Amino acid sequence: MTRLIAAALLVACTVPAAAASRRPLVPDRFDGTWSVEIITEAGTCDRAYRYPIRIEHGRARFIGAAFTVQGSVAGNGAVRGSISNGMATAVVNGRLGANGFGAGTWVASGSLECRGRWNAERRG
């Protein structure tokens, strides 16, 4: 369960937000493969994870996990999103940069209550 939430947090770091989806996204600006590290700073989630995330036209793709992702990467790189697995939800905020790096914070609530930060690096 803890690993599922952590995996979902990674996706949320790079997915579109409902507020940003009303505006046109800048195509391909942040597209590519990103290596995202999730670090827990407080709570019961495992200490750290690293996963690859693929962004295509401002939307993130993560294959192999059962969770719901909502959010977006805005044209300026702002990341807002949420993920849930039915028992816990994580809210993610931050920014991806044109320089190929990104960072932000996340907070999970529900059956897991923890928070931390994330870092991303474009890999392709």
Side-chain angles (χ1 to χ4, degrees):
M1 171 70 104
T2 303
R3 291 179 193 265
L4 181 60
I5 291 296
L9 288 171
L10 293 169
V11 172
C13 292
T14 57
V15 296
S21 66
R22 290 183 216 126
R23 295 174 291 173
L25 296 175
V26 176
D28 306 325
R29 183 170 181 178
F30 299 102
D31 284 7
T33 302
W34 293 76
S35 177
V36 181
E37 178 185 37
I38 299 294
I39 301 164
T40 300
E41 295 178 326
T44 58
C45 295
D46 290 340
R47 176 70 181 130
Y49 296 95
R50 181 176 293 276
Y51 293 101
I53 301 296
R54 179 85 182 151
I55 299 176
E56 295 174 338
H57 304 293
R59 299 197 180 276
R61 181 169 50 102
F62 185 79
I63 300 170
F67 52 85
T68 302
V69 175
Q70 297 179 349
S72 77
V73 178
N76 66 359
V79 174
R80 293 180 192 215
S82 68
I83 58 93
S84 65
N85 70 353
M87 298 168 67
T89 299
V91 175
V92 178
N93 292 292
R95 184 170 304 276
L96 296 178
N99 64 353
F101 295 93
T105 60
W106 59 270
V107 177
S109 61
S111 63
L112 291 174
E113 296 201 12
C114 42
R115 64 180 171 78
R117 60 189 164 88
W118 60 269
N119 301 298
E121 180 180 350
R122 181 177 275 178
R123 296 287 173 100

